[in-house]
Amino acid sequence: MSGVSAQVVRVGIAGRRGCGRATVTRVLRGAGVAVVGSAEPADLDVYVVAETLKPEDRRALAHSPRPVVVALNKADLAGFGGQGPVATAAAHCRRLSDFTGVPVYPLAGLAAVAALDDTVVDDEVLDALRALTTDPADLGSTDRFIDKAHQLPHPIRLRLLAQLDLFGIAHGVLALRAGADRAGLLAALRRASAVDGLLAGIDAAAAPVRYRWLIDAHAVALPASDDAVAARMAAAIEVVRAAGMAVDDDVTAAAHLRRAIVWQRYSRGPVSRLHRCCGADIARGSLRLWERAGGVAESLP
């Protein structure tokens, strides 16, 4: 069991050129995701797109040999108005997900890099953003930000654009005006980037991978120890929750028995082999917990 629990889900990065694969790689590595190179084996893929899915993107997703999550990069360019560009991109992602059956998440890549890479928001960038809180610059376009006269030297404005873009600059200035320190600034950029939604999506897509590792570890016989049963139950719960189902996590004896009955019945229904195994493992683990709480084992109805 220790070998299985120590395994790390390896993530590959795919997508067309120019969509920001290098940026997304940097973001995910900064967040602690085990991103592998194109020649290395991966357990799931993050497929990077910009603006929308093109026909070649849809073909690649349809024929993916692994679980796949789509990152709609450059979400900060999705158009202003309403609740902002990332909210607009998120709504677009939901439509794309409904159309393809693949989870799609927005990402403002440069803002996410700035939030997760300690080398981006250094003293020079922080001082420049602070200067903009008292002497605002024209953020209406990149040309106006660069060309209009301002106290910030031209090279520093170019650096701000290259590392934060107008979206990150605007959110950084707003955070500092509200009294944020450096940590608060990074937190604001992280929220604005929507990276946590993508990370949660990757974790959900990885749940079946982790569960199958446990299944393979117990291929010869069902797990017997309490720890092994609990591990498989926990991994199975991750899978079904990632699929949008609720699992009662009450710890009373009655709840354990009720959960066992519900998921044993689920496992016997018209579900996939994966979910059939998950239902059985949740039922088995719940029964083990019920027995430890003083219940007497008996056949489920």
Side-chain angles (χ1 to χ4, degrees):
M1 287 299 301
S2 60
V4 173
S5 60
Q7 284 184 269
V8 176
V9 175
R10 299 160 300 182
V11 175
I13 304 296
R16 291 177 288 105
R17 290 182 180 274
C19 290
R21 290 176 301 180
T23 298
V24 173
T25 297
R26 191 175 173 190
V27 168
L28 297 184
R29 284 179 173 160
V33 176
V35 178
V36 298
S38 58
E40 301 175 84
D43 301 302
L44 66 87
D45 286 333
V46 172
Y47 192 93
V48 184
V49 300
E51 296 184 5
T52 193
L53 294 174
K54 296 186 179 297
E56 55 265 42
D57 297 322
R58 295 196 293 271
R59 287 192 295 270
L61 294 174
H63 295 94
S64 176
R66 293 177 290 274
V68 62
V69 169
V70 175
L72 181 67
N73 191 31
K74 307 177 184 179
D76 48 303
L77 303 179
F80 292 88
Q83 295 182 336
V86 174
T88 299
H92 184 46
C93 287
R94 289 190 289 272
R95 292 191 292 270
L96 293 176
S97 185
D98 290 342
F99 178 67
T100 62
V102 175
V104 185
Y105 300 92
L107 178 70
L110 288 181
V113 169
L116 295 167
D117 187 335
D118 290 338
T119 67
V120 175
V121 183
D122 57 16
D123 289 343
E124 181 181 64
V125 169
L126 187 57
D127 288 343
L129 291 174
R130 283 175 174 153
L132 293 175
T133 65
T134 56
D135 183 11
D138 190 335
L139 298 178
S141 71
T142 57
D143 288 342
R144 281 148 59 184
F145 180 70
I146 290 298
D147 295 336
K148 286 196 174 182
H150 195 274
Q151 64 166 309
L152 285 180
H154 190 262
I156 295 178
R157 280 181 274 166
L158 286 175
R159 185 183 174 201
L160 288 178
L161 278 178
Q163 296 189 306
L164 295 174
D165 210 343
L166 294 175
F167 178 81
I169 295 170
H171 279 276
V173 170
L174 285 174
L176 293 173
R177 279 180 181 161
D181 57 9
R182 184 176 183 277
L185 167 64
L186 297 181
L189 290 173
R190 180 166 184 151
R191 287 193 300 272
S193 73
V195 65
D196 287 320
L198 174 61
L199 294 174
I202 293 170
D203 190 59
V209 175
R210 293 188 290 264
Y211 179 70
R212 288 189 177 99
W213 287 343
L214 288 174
I215 294 291
D216 291 343
H218 302 134
V220 176
L222 289 174
S225 72
D226 285 348
D227 286 346
V229 171
R232 279 184 59 154
M233 177 181 176
I237 288 174
E238 282 190 7
V239 173
V240 298
R241 281 181 171 164
M245 287 176 278
V247 181
D248 181 8
D249 55 6
D250 194 344
V251 295
T252 63
H256 293 322
L257 181 58
R258 182 171 61 250
R259 189 188 313 112
I261 294 171
V262 167
W263 287 97
Q264 182 70 6
R265 287 174 176 166
Y266 175 82
S267 71
R268 294 173 177 173
V271 295
S272 68
R273 181 178 180 277
L274 172 65
H275 278 244
R276 191 159 52 247
C277 291
C278 287
D281 275 328
I282 296 171
R284 185 179 301 110
S286 298
L287 277 179
R288 185 69 61 92
L289 292 172
W290 178 60
E291 291 172 7
R292 290 174 63 184
V296 178
E298 57 184 79
S299 300
L300 291 175

